[in-house]
């Protein structure tokens, strides 16, 4: 459960940080769209290696996350150049992302608990960015009505995948009695998450 929670947090954080950037600075031009597609491709790498992300495919998973950070850093540096009034905020985000990149890049050279600790440090430093930016940044507003919708999309995707996994599990087990209780529990957990969130 702890391993799942940790890996989910990494993927979720990738979504949150990209969403926060898009909410404030999305330009919707060709370069921005290509960068977003590249970030999605990096997330596919993370998802494809998730089942063995703490063992044999740890560097593949880390490389996927690292790619999302480098691409996001490129977007922030681009916005830093063009949105002058937001420079104090973007400088904070860029600095925290740079430290995160350093931690994740260093993790490629080590194994075991040290690798996972570097991942945690990278995420923790990046998580400081919104806190520091709200205190020391230039108060760049977010689109309040649009942000919950973007965050809600991830929840909808995760809930949909959970329900699909229950259906697939029942199908693959040929509706054997031992599979019914876990399937019902899985469905109830997804329904409860939906109920609480929405």
């Amino acid at each position: 459960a702890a391993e799942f929670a940790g890996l989910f947090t990494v993927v979720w954080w990738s979504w949150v940080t990209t969403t926060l950037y898009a909410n404030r600075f999305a330009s919707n031009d060709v370069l921005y769209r290509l960068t977003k597609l590249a970030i999605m491709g990096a997330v596919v790498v993370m998802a494809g290696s998730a089942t063995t992300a703490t063992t044999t495919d740890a560097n593949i998973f880390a490389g996927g996350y690292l790619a999302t950070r480098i691409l996001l850093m490129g977007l922030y540096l681009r916005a830093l150049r063009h949105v002058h009034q937001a420079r104090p905020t973007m400088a904070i985000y860029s600095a925290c992302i740079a430290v995160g990149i350093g931690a994740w890049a260093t993790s490629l050279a080590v194994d075991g608990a040290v690798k996972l600790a570097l991942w945690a440090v990278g995420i923790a430093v990046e998580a400081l960015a919104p806190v520091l930016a709200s205190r020391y940044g230039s108060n760049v507003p977010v689109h309040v009505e649009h942000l919950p919708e973007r965050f809600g999309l991830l929840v909808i995707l995760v809930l949909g995948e959970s329900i699909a996994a229950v259906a697939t599990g029942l199908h693959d087990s040929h509706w054997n009695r031992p599979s019914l209780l876990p399937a019902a529990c899985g469905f109830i957990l997804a329904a409860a998450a939906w109920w609480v969130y929405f």
Side-chain angles (χ1 to χ4, degrees), residues 66-88:
L66 190 55
T68 69
R69 303 299 82 198
I70 292 168
L71 291 162
L72 184 62
M73 174 66 95
L75 287 174
Y76 269 108
L77 292 176
R78 182 179 186 223
L80 189 66
R81 183 173 158 217
H82 296 290
V83 186
H84 299 282
Q85 67 272 24
R87 283 186 174 168

Side-chain angles (χ1 to χ4, degrees), residues 12-161:
W12 175 79
W13 187 248
S14 177
W15 175 277
V16 166
T17 54
T18 304
T19 299
L20 284 173
Y21 175 87
N23 186 265
R24 290 177 169 155
F25 304 113
S27 59
N28 215 20
D29 62 352
V30 172
L31 183 59
Y32 175 74
R33 286 176 179 230
L34 290 174
T35 305
K36 287 281 283 191
L37 286 171
I39 289 171
M40 283 190 253
V43 170
V44 168
V45 169
M46 292 167 60
S49 60
T51 56
T52 51
T54 58
T55 56
T56 56
D57 290 333
N59 280 352
I60 295 171
F61 182 83
Y65 184 77
L66 190 55
T68 69
R69 303 299 82 198
I70 292 168
L71 291 162
L72 184 62
M73 174 66 95
L75 287 174
Y76 269 108
L77 292 176
R78 182 179 186 223
L80 189 66
R81 183 173 158 217
H82 296 290
V83 186
H84 299 282
Q85 67 272 24
R87 283 186 174 168
T89 296
M90 287 186 285
I92 291 167
Y93 274 90
S94 297
C96 290
I97 292 169
V99 172
I101 287 171
W104 281 80
T106 303
S107 81
L108 296 173
V110 297
D111 290 318
V114 176
K115 179 184 289 292
L116 300 179
L118 285 166
W119 291 3
V121 166
I123 296 288
V125 171
E126 285 186 46
L128 284 175
V131 175
L132 295 173
S134 67
R135 177 171 269 188
Y136 304 110
S138 50
N139 197 19
V140 180
V142 296
H143 298 286
V144 184
E145 60 282 343
H146 196 222
L147 198 57
E149 174 194 343
R150 286 183 181 251
F151 285 147
L153 289 173
L154 178 65
V155 174
I156 289 169
L157 291 169
V158 170
L159 290 175
E161 286 297 318

Side-chain angles (χ1 to χ4, degrees), residues 176-197:
N176 291 334
R177 280 197 176 158
S179 68
L180 297 179
L181 180 60
C185 290
F187 182 82
I188 289 168
L189 282 171
W194 169 81
W195 191 274
V196 168
Y197 188 83

